[in-house]
Amino acid sequence: MNEIAVFTGSITIYWSAIVITLGMAAGLCLTLALYPMDHRHNTAVWVFFPIAVVLSVLLSRLIHWYSHIEQYESLLQALTDYSFGGYCVQGIILGVLLAALIVRLFRLTPTAGELLDAVAPGLCLTLALIRLSSLFNTTCRGRIVITDEAYQRLPWAVSWTDAAGNVEFRLATFFLEFLNR
């Protein structure tokens, strides 16, 4: 499968980016539906969301850089060049938590916990779709090779082509994590 969804001139959009964006939109919509149920105004959610996205991207990349420092020339490259490398999901959770605390400091929500209660289901949906986005790239493939033909498909395995051109089926860890969310 081709990783690129759209390519025109200098613009390249990857399938994984589309799935991640749709996951974030779905999570936002779910949060916007849940938050006002206790007569609260969605202003807190609208302020929370961009802060959470920025902090989550930066923190997830920072944790990935720290865990895989050999993949990057510098911290600056890890935080500014997203054309390679990965991210760490724990940074997303930390970014969401910090964003809720910032929104509470702005006094847009009575407590950060009330906002996080409404955010939690949308965050789970977003995290699941972020993991599912790995179907369209080569990340989150297990080291376990699946040799039984009955299991050489999702949700158990995905094809993997090594440097010599040999195709083998690896454990689809991203799909198992998607199902676990």
Side-chain angles (χ1 to χ4, degrees), residues 22-164:
L22 290 173
M24 289 176 13
L28 174 62
C29 289
L30 184 55
T31 301
L32 287 169
L34 293 175
Y35 191 69
M37 286 187 165
D38 289 331
H39 307 291
R40 296 175 290 211
H41 196 272
N42 273 335
T43 304
V45 176
W46 287 112
V47 172
F48 162 83
F49 187 73
I51 296 169
V53 169
V54 170
L55 288 175
S56 294
V57 168
L58 291 174
L59 290 171
S60 63
R61 191 65 170 198
L62 178 68
I63 294 170
H64 189 269
W65 167 81
Y66 183 76
S67 302
H68 303 281
I69 200 166
E70 71 281 353
Q71 293 182 9
Y72 304 97
E73 291 178 15
S74 66
L75 174 60
L76 181 63
Q77 180 193 32
L79 295 177
T80 58
D81 185 3
Y82 294 98
S83 64
F84 69 95
Y87 56 89
C88 187
V89 174
Q90 290 81 355
I92 296 171
I93 296 168
L94 186 58
V96 165
L97 177 63
L98 289 174
L101 293 173
I102 291 169
V103 169
R104 173 61 187 118
L105 288 175
F106 292 154
R107 299 183 190 273
L108 296 173
T109 185
T111 67
E114 284 185 12
L115 179 58
L116 289 171
D117 280 346
V119 167
L123 179 61
C124 287
L125 176 61
T126 300
L127 290 175
L129 290 173
I130 285 173
R131 277 301 179 213
L132 187 60
S133 73
S134 294
L135 173 64
F136 301 103
N137 57 40
T138 57
T139 61
C140 284
R141 303 297 196 263
R143 293 183 182 171
I144 299 171
V145 177
I146 308 296
T147 56
D148 188 343
E149 287 186 30
Y151 296 105
Q152 290 180 341
R153 61 181 181 278
L154 288 176
W156 310 113
V158 289
S159 63
W160 175 274
T161 306
D162 64 14

